[in-house]
Amino acid sequence: MAMTMNGEVQLAASREAVWEKLNDPAVLKACIPGCEELEKTDDSGFRATAKMKVGPVSARFRGKVTLSDLDPPNGYKISGEGEGGVAGFAKGGATVKLAEKDGGTLLSYAVEAQIGGKLAQLGQRLINGAAKKLADEFFANFAKAVQG
């Protein structure tokens, strides 16, 4: 099952400050809902573990995250894949762009993801709702982290 999602969030911080936080594993770990571990493996990669619940399915996903197309402080592409045992798998990516706007930074994102296994059997509406909720939570947490 594939899904796409787009959005933007206005942050009261400079592009450079937002860029720095987007590349800080401690900040990302604190902002990702259910994230238990986020460890830098090399310049552009992380190993991650996150516990998620979507409808009746609860799983711990283990996987890797890679940053590419780095264009400081304008944006990057983040991609990842995770394995959740019997719950299934998730893989996808997001293009993140930063632009100066209204004395702060406008962060826009476009996400593409694929899921399989038990999770994919839950239905498109439930999955899309859960994905939107996770994205909203992440950006609300990230906005707090950026604005101190």
Side-chain angles (χ1 to χ4, degrees), residues 6-102:
N6 299 297
E8 53 185 42
V9 60
Q10 177 71 26
L11 301 165
S14 71
R15 245 183 346 170
E16 288 73 16
V18 173
W19 175 259
E20 199 175 297
K21 300 271 192 221
L22 274 177
N23 287 279
D24 182 335
V27 171
L28 292 175
K29 180 183 177 201
C31 293
I32 297 168
C35 189
E36 297 174 342
E37 176 190 33
L38 187 69
E39 188 181 310
K40 204 165 178 66
T41 53
D42 55 46
D43 281 349
S44 63
F46 303 93
R47 186 173 55 238
T49 304
K51 191 171 182 182
M52 310 234 162
K53 184 169 171 36
V54 180
V57 180
S58 189
R60 178 171 276 119
F61 286 90
R62 289 185 171 80
K64 58 182 187 194
V65 177
T66 309
L67 304 179
S68 58
D69 301 341
L70 297 164
D71 180 17
N74 303 308
Y76 62 37
K77 182 168 175 54
I78 183 168
S79 22
E81 52 188 80
E83 190 59 56
V86 294
F89 71 88
K91 66 179 179 180
T95 302
V96 178
K97 293 192 170 109
L98 303 176
E100 287 177 20
K101 183 178 177 194
D102 300 334

Side-chain angles (χ1 to χ4, degrees), residues 1 56-57 86-88 115-124 126-127:
M1 177 188 296
V57 180
V86 294
I115 58 166
K118 251 190 188 174
L119 279 174
Q121 296 167 2
L122 292 175
Q124 191 84 32
L126 183 60
I127 294 295

Side-chain angles (χ1 to χ4, degrees), residues 123-142:
Q124 191 84 32
R125 207 157 73 213
L126 183 60
I127 294 295
N128 284 346
K132 180 171 178 4
K133 183 175 176 269
L134 287 171
D136 290 347
E137 253 180 76
F138 171 82
F139 286 109
N141 292 343
F142 187 73

